[in-house]
Amino acid sequence: MNNQKELRELLKTARIICSSLDLNKTLEIAIKSLCKITGCQYGSIYLIDEQDPEFMVLATSCNFKKPTLRYQIKDLYFASKIFKTKKPIEITNLSVSKLRDKFTAESKHFFKELGINYFIYLPIVRDKRSIGLVNLYRKENMPGKKIDLDNIMLLIEQLAIAIENAKTHRDLKNEKIRWKTLFEENRGIAIIDRNHKIIDANKTFKNFLDEKDVTNRKIIDFIPGDEEKIQFTKELDRNFSEKRTIGFELPIETKHSIVWVRIRVRYIDLDGSKVAVLTFKDYTEQKELESGKNEFVYIVSHELRSPLTAMIGFLGLLKRDEIGPLNEKQKFFLKRASESTMRMINLVENILDVNRIDTGRINLNLSPIDLRIVFDQVKRDLKQSSNAKNLEIKTRGVKSIYIMGDKDRMYQIFYNLLDNAIKYSLPNGIIEAEFKTGDGKGIVSVSDNGAGIPPVEQKKLFTKFAKINSTLEIFSSGTGLGLYIVKNLVLAHNGRIWLQSRKNKGTSFFVEFPIAKQLSLIK
Amino acid sequence: MKKKILLVEDDLILVDLYEATLEMEGFQVLKATSGKEGLKILKKDTPDLILLDILMPEMNGFEFLKELKKIKTVKNVPVLLLTNLGESKLDINRELAFALGIEGYLIKSKNPPEQVVSRIKNVLETVGSL
């Protein structure tokens, strides 16, 4: 081929392979063209196996009847050399070449059979990495015909790019198939853009809403109620700017009904755009179960209150002198019966509190209260228990901390904390309550000298039914609801609660509240 | 003279409890286990104070209160609400109760009978001094 024709063939081939994303087509055209340009009758292209880079796999061939499909690269002298040096190897006059011995017996046989006398191996390099090689074999030596290696390498460069593009395209297609499968799984998924418009949604989601097509609709359209719309928009926008994963429950209005869903929002920063992926899980069944459960708990606890009131009332009347004198044993039995009943009443009240927390019905009667005064009352009321263990309760710090709070609920908080401190203290010790202020907040800490709470237990502390396995087994009574209630009451006051505890060094509970502003209204 | 308390409460056990407690404290107790029964008693008798339960079948405490205020002889008798409902807004309509004219309310499970008695004594003293 003369120079001009060669260049034109090169250009034509380059154009074709660069415009194709079909790997097979690209390779076929490339090898045919390379054979034509170089005057070689046989050619093949091997690519390094992506899964197993020690091997190379046949990608295409020209005129071979049964080419070898796969080689281990280290077994081949020339392939190994080429991949390492990234330079082509040309052997003219194979029959007398010293390099002839580097071939495998199989190859030598093959060359003899076909009458191969010239071959050239060309590396396919991309980003300084070898990704494959091209083999071209010619039957007769053509003296005077020099193959322009530079031109050929230019084409191979294009081929390398084309191979990579085709691979990327193929990988993308596979990814899409994988993704589509995941996408159509059981949860409803909707993808929205920054303007809350639905870009894509899966079948489950569309079925939820009983809509055939939801693309380009605003997700807000499916949220009933103005309050919910506002809440949802706020949450979504916050997510877009904060990149967190958030979850919440919301009612969704479908064509025929209202469905409760649990939504998780994940934010994705794509190259060039930001989207949020919303996963919807049908929550209606759980919601109904939950409200059924909540209703049940409420009704039962309520029903328990009246007979318990009657019990404690009549037991109290029995103790009165007007009814008649009691012997020591009767007084003792009566005392135990009353204590027992009081425990039941406290349990029922705790259950009702948990029920109120779970259904969002905690209502605070706010007024300015002095935390120190509330604590002192609790201390007085728990005098008997602390005396029984010979515990001294020391208070120190600022003389008063005023916050806007519910007096009864604050009493409940401190009562729980101090009661626990007494329960888990070793006898003859000191319980310290410290009152601090700073940064517009008031902090109260209650510290005991007990066995401490292991970190694993600490995590469960504020959940329902948490109990600590203490060596003081006698004090493992109690429902484990106390701290759950306390935590929620503290949160309801816009406060925080946390603890510090070390093995055998004791435990400190901290509660923090915002200090009441406008103190001039007090006193 | 013994002070008369009208007790309107549908739970029979609690009726026994409050009756026993109040009688021990020297009060005379008129009992009604429904709003209707209570109104019947009020036609013949005028108590010094009414202890009124809220949750009752057929006529609840609020409805009874409304009817009470229509009867000239008894519309100014002080009323203390007795309830087991919680204090949260959804449970007891405090505003409505006060608007209808009650002296206060007591929560059965939180205020044992002795406390109910002291409250009654307080109210009667205040009313008596007017």
Side-chain angles (χ1 to χ4, degrees):
Chain A
M1 240 192 196
N2 71 26
N3 239 354
Q4 247 204 351
K5 253 182 139 179
E6 193 175 295
L7 279 174
R8 235 186 313 189
E9 175 69 29
L10 275 173
L11 268 174
K12 203 172 82 182
T13 310
R15 208 175 61 208
I16 296 177
I17 64 179
C18 276
S19 60
S20 168
L21 287 171
D22 182 335
L23 190 57
N24 288 334
K25 181 167 164 217
T26 300
L27 293 166
E28 242 178 72
I29 291 176
I31 196 66
K32 283 211 180 91
S33 182
L34 283 165
C35 284
K36 191 167 166 194
I37 296 172
T38 55
C40 292
Q41 292 86 6
Y42 304 95
S44 61
I45 301 183
Y46 282 82
L47 295 176
I48 294 184
D49 188 343
E50 289 158 279
Q51 324 278 40
D52 206 346
E54 289 185 11
F55 287 83
M56 63 184 200
V57 181
L58 179 71
T60 191
S61 66
C62 189
N63 289 334
F64 282 108
K65 280 213 194 100
K66 276 195 352 206
T68 311
L69 295 174
R70 198 175 153 88
Y71 283 108
Q72 188 159 22
I73 295 171
K74 66 175 193 219
D75 292 338
L76 305 172
Y77 171 79
F78 289 103
S80 310
K81 191 153 185 230
I82 286 202
F83 287 138
K84 218 161 72 177
T85 61
K86 304 184 178 70
K87 290 200 166 63
I89 295 178
E90 189 183 11
I91 298 190
T92 52
N93 221 346
L94 177 60
S95 44
V96 298
S97 167
K98 286 193 206 122
L99 290 172
R100 194 188 47 182
D101 293 324
K102 306 284 185 182
F103 283 105
T104 63
E106 204 187 345
S107 306
K108 281 198 263 193
H109 176 81
F110 154 74
F111 293 150
K112 198 157 171 204
E113 214 184 286
L114 292 178
I116 304 281
N117 204 23
Y118 165 96
F119 76 84
I120 182 165
Y121 281 174
L122 303 149
I124 307 175
V125 178
R126 178 87 188 115
D127 277 340
K128 302 204 180 119
R129 273 174 28 247
S130 303
I131 61 174
L133 55 80
V134 179
N135 308 332
L136 298 165
Y137 306 90
R138 210 161 62 199
K139 275 193 191 172
E140 339 70 31
N141 213 356
M142 276 156 67
K145 158 79 178 166
K146 195 70 168 88
I147 291 182
D148 190 332
L149 266 184
D150 287 335
N151 283 351
I152 304 287
M153 286 314 288
L154 272 177
L155 181 62
I156 304 235
E157 228 176 85
Q158 292 302 308
L159 180 63
I161 297 175
I163 291 174
E164 205 162 276
N165 285 348
K167 277 191 186 167
T168 308
H169 181 73
R170 176 206 59 192
D171 289 343
L172 183 63
K173 255 172 65 180
N174 289 342
E175 268 305 305
K176 250 184 142 174
I177 294 174
R178 284 221 303 259
W179 184 69
K180 243 335 189 199
T181 317
L182 271 174
F183 189 60
E184 292 299 338
E185 62 129 297
N186 59 12
R187 293 185 190 212
I189 306 180
I191 303 183
I192 63 170
D193 66 11
R194 252 193 168 286
N195 299 317
H196 306 173
K197 272 218 255 185
I198 301 178
I199 310 175
D200 203 353
N202 69 359
K203 268 196 221 111
T204 312
F205 181 75
K206 288 186 254 194
N207 287 342
F208 256 165
L209 304 171
D210 223 344
E211 299 272 356
K212 285 233 173 71
D213 187 19
V214 294
T215 333
N216 277 323
R217 304 267 296 271
K218 280 204 160 172
I219 192 96
I220 296 287
D221 292 344
F222 299 108
I223 315 282
D226 293 322
E227 276 261 4
E228 285 91 350
K229 278 194 188 7
I230 295 174
Q231 183 206 356
F232 193 64
T233 312
K234 208 163 61 158
E235 291 287 353
L236 274 186
D237 286 337
R238 186 160 67 127
N239 188 56
F240 268 111
S241 56
E242 287 183 13
K243 289 204 232 183
R244 291 174 350 180
T245 305
I246 54 171
F248 46 96
E249 289 147 31
L250 215 49
I252 295 272
E253 190 157 26
T254 70
K255 253 200 205 136
H256 304 283
S257 59
I258 304 249
V259 173
W260 272 89
V261 289
R262 187 160 180 80
I263 304 180
R264 276 181 72 83
V265 188
R266 271 182 191 81
Y267 154 99
I268 307 181
D269 203 351
L270 300 176
D271 204 15
S273 64
K274 289 177 187 156
V275 296
V277 180
L278 281 65
T279 6
F280 294 79
K281 189 158 181 230
D282 192 344
Y283 199 59
T284 330
E285 202 182 296
Q286 279 117 305
K287 195 88 185 154
E288 275 164 17
L289 279 174
E290 223 177 83
S291 54
K293 181 196 87 178
N294 285 331
E295 232 183 280
F296 175 76
V297 169
Y298 179 78
I299 291 173
V300 168
S301 308
H302 244 295
E303 287 301 308
L304 286 172
R305 266 172 146 182
S306 285
L308 283 173
T309 309
M311 267 178 82
I312 204 82
F314 281 117
L315 286 172
L317 287 179
L318 266 177
K319 293 186 205 162
R320 290 173 70 144
D321 299 322
E322 299 102 305
I323 303 288
L326 295 166
N327 64 44
E328 284 309 307
K329 270 235 166 70
Q330 284 168 326
K331 280 195 205 162
F332 177 65
F333 291 165
L334 212 48
K335 183 161 169 261
R336 281 293 183 248
S338 299
E339 283 166 11
S340 218
T341 311
M342 262 335 281
R343 266 173 60 180
M344 267 199 281
I345 291 181
N346 285 330
L347 173 56
V348 170
E349 291 305 312
N350 274 353
I351 292 175
L352 279 172
D353 268 345
V354 168
N355 187 259
R356 279 191 203 107
I357 290 168
D358 286 350
T359 51
R361 286 186 300 120
I362 289 280
N363 254 296
L364 299 179
N365 251 332
L366 296 177
S367 65
I369 55 177
D370 181 354
L371 295 181
R372 192 107 187 208
I373 293 181
V374 178
F375 187 82
D376 287 338
Q377 179 68 50
V378 169
K379 188 171 144 188
R380 278 197 292 273
D381 292 345
L382 281 170
K383 198 102 210 142
Q384 230 185 1
S385 319
S386 54
N387 283 344
K389 284 173 88 168
N390 198 21
L391 295 166
E392 190 190 341
I393 304 177
K394 278 200 195 156
T395 47
R396 58 194 182 105
V398 300
K399 291 297 168 195
S400 62
I401 300 180
Y402 275 95
I403 69 157
M404 289 304 284
D406 180 315
K407 201 167 77 169
D408 293 331
R409 294 304 194 173
M410 196 56 65
Y411 179 93
Q412 199 175 353
I413 292 171
F414 287 142
Y415 189 94
N416 253 282
L417 294 179
L418 190 55
D419 193 36
N420 277 344
I422 292 173
K423 255 201 250 185
Y424 293 99
S425 269
L426 300 167
N428 306 319
I430 300 177
I431 294 177
E432 275 196 359
E434 191 180 354
F435 294 79
K436 286 204 295 216
T437 53
D439 224 3
K441 305 260 179 21
I443 304 181
V444 181
S445 62
V446 179
S447 312
D448 64 56
N449 66 345
I453 306 172
V456 141
E457 304 280 342
Q458 280 182 41
K459 293 204 174 107
K460 302 191 236 159
L461 259 189
F462 295 107
T463 57
K464 292 188 215 179
F465 308 117
K467 265 168 72 167
I468 304 166
N469 287 323
S470 160
T471 47
L472 304 167
E473 275 306 308
I474 357 167
F475 298 107
S476 62
S477 62
T479 54
L481 292 174
L483 283 176
Y484 175 80
I485 296 174
V486 163
K487 175 180 163 186
N488 278 281
L489 289 177
V490 168
L491 290 177
H493 279 87
N494 283 326
R496 292 195 304 142
I497 179 166
W498 69 98
L499 76 143
Q500 277 167 11
S501 182
R502 292 221 340 255
K503 190 168 174 184
N504 295 326
K505 293 273 177 74
T507 307
S508 298
F509 277 87
F510 298 84
V511 288
E512 176 197 89
F513 301 101
I515 292 183
K517 312 223 172 92
Q518 296 176 300
L519 287 175
S520 52
L521 291 176
I522 309 164
K523 298 191 214 189
Chain B
M1 237 237 346
K2 274 195 188 174
K3 298 277 185 186
K4 260 189 268 187
I5 313 272
L6 170 62
L7 174 63
V8 188
E9 162 71 64
D10 68 316
D11 185 329
L12 295 176
I13 299 186
L14 290 179
V15 167
D16 282 346
L17 177 64
Y18 290 119
E19 188 187 25
T21 312
L22 290 169
E23 278 179 357
M24 239 195 285
E25 294 286 339
F27 292 103
Q28 186 192 348
V29 179
L30 306 167
K31 16 177 217 187
T33 52
S34 73
K36 267 215 288 218
E37 215 186 307
L39 290 171
K40 244 205 304 205
I41 295 179
L42 286 174
K43 286 207 179 106
K44 299 183 284 172
D45 238 312
T46 306
D48 295 293
L49 183 140
I50 301 177
L51 263 186
L52 176 59
D53 183 22
I54 295 191
L55 269 189
M56 293 184 291
E58 281 177 24
M59 187 192 285
N60 68 38
F62 289 119
E63 289 162 349
F64 176 85
L65 255 184
K66 285 195 203 139
E67 293 303 313
L68 178 74
K69 295 301 171 183
K70 294 183 191 159
I71 307 174
K72 255 201 264 201
T73 48
V74 291
K75 68 177 185 173
N76 289 320
V77 173
V79 176
L80 280 177
L81 278 187
L82 256 186
T83 176
N84 246 342
L85 297 178
E87 329 80 316
S88 84
K89 265 192 286 201
L90 296 171
D91 290 337
I92 178 174
N93 198 334
R94 222 176 293 153
E95 289 87 21
L96 175 59
F98 278 107
L100 288 171
I102 60 167
E103 283 300 319
Y105 68 92
L106 295 149
I107 298 176
K108 283 182 257 190
S109 53
K110 288 216 163 97
N111 304 119
E114 306 88 63
Q115 278 184 24
V116 175
V117 167
S118 351
R119 198 67 184 283
I120 292 176
K121 289 188 179 164
N122 276 342
V123 171
L124 288 176
E125 255 165 63
T126 339
V127 169
S129 60
L130 286 173

